[in-house]
Amino acid sequence: MSETVKTECFDETPTRVVSGEGALCSSRACLVGMDISRALIVCGENVARLPQIEEFRDACMGSIETVVFAGAEPDPTDGNVLEGGALGRKFDAEAVIGIGGGSSMDCAKAIAAEIGSEGWIAAQDRPGEPVEVEQEVVPIVCVPTTAGTGSEVNPFSVITFTETERKLVLNHESLYPCCAVLDPTLLVSAPKMVRVAAGLDALTHAVESYVSVNANAGTRKWAGESIRGVAKYLTRVAENAKDMDAQAGMQRAAMVASLSFAQTRLGIVHAMALPLSALFGVPHGVANAILLPHGMSFNCEADPEGFMAIAAHLGVEVQDMPVAEAAATAPEAVATLAREIEAPATMGEAGVEESAIERMADDAMQSAHVQVNPRKISREDVVGIYQAAM
Ligand SMILES: [Fe+2]
């Protein structure tokens, strides 16, 4: 491996994290070390065209045969998983490498399970029931091309089931990637709005996890590191995609937020963001960006010390302020950051219709994230937050 590439292990995940410029090509050695000779690459159409993918396949030549399944759609479907699984079986894939944003990585995880049991994905369309995996799952390697979701170190795979129109989070320990490859050079091609939305998604993960009712000292350590990373690097990444130090910093911030929220789950912002995406196609990170300051303002009174700490991680000088006042600066600091990087500020700007608020409130209240929110929340509260964000 090159000197700039390092490998880390964490107590919170079985995933080994390989990071640094050139990490993707270096990961070939890990695959060879695992006796992998055939790997299925899962990605979307745009990522399939990146020169780095060609370079990686060239680097693998002679030791690892690769085939590309470029059919992972944004919000991947059960159909994508079936198709990718069939290709993986035909190719006799010994590993699946998911390269892309959260959608491609989530799709890759489900494909790895589908390869070992044809039709497995169809049987997972049952909300509220645990995911069952009895078959062997080939090793999963995840390679993020955005700094946001943190899917590369967690066992979650969000799949849309087309026939029932359900979007479910499949969660099973066999869906943990064995290896995450954080190569900042892969983040350069994403357009500004994708970088902004992904970064604010990572911040939302960290903030919601920090004040979750399930938070503990261990999860707050990672969530705090993530918030500091976003505060330090997101503006730089938004301004200049080629700022490699900042890209690597954001990549780390997104990853460590996932180490935290995989244990705590999220909160009201994620619960309320889902209907914006489902009904109006608002990208997940944009939906979070709009709702985050409002959700934080609502939650402040439930955990003022927690929000005071969040404000401090964001860089606000809170030490001489009364706790409640310091806590209130946290949502303000997030709103200021979002404004600076030109994130959409209202649901109206993102194309959401006010007439849908009642329906969205019903949907948001069904989310499991509501249960771990630090402040008890009613349907009326949700309607009020949506109205404030309109
Ligand atoms: Fe998210």
Side-chain angles (χ1 to χ4, degrees), residues 54 56 59-60 90 93 103 108 156-157 164-165 180 210 222 255 278 283 286 289 319 360-361 381:
E54 207 50 54
F56 172 63
C60 288
K90 193 171 154 206
S103 296
F156 308 138
S157 167
T164 54
E165 296 181 313
Y210 200 98
W222 293 121
M255 185 270 287
V286 172
Q319 51 276 24
M360 295 197 301
D381 294 326

Side-chain angles (χ1 to χ4, degrees), residues 201 205 266 270 284 288:
D201 184 31
H205 294 157
L266 293 160
H270 268 75
H284 176 67
N288 281 325

Side-chain angles (χ1 to χ4, degrees), residues 356-372:
I357 285 180
E358 297 290 330
R359 156 93 200 267
M360 295 197 301
D362 288 337
D363 291 354
M365 288 303 287
Q366 310 259 321
S367 165
H369 295 309
V370 171
Q371 314 307 326
V372 296

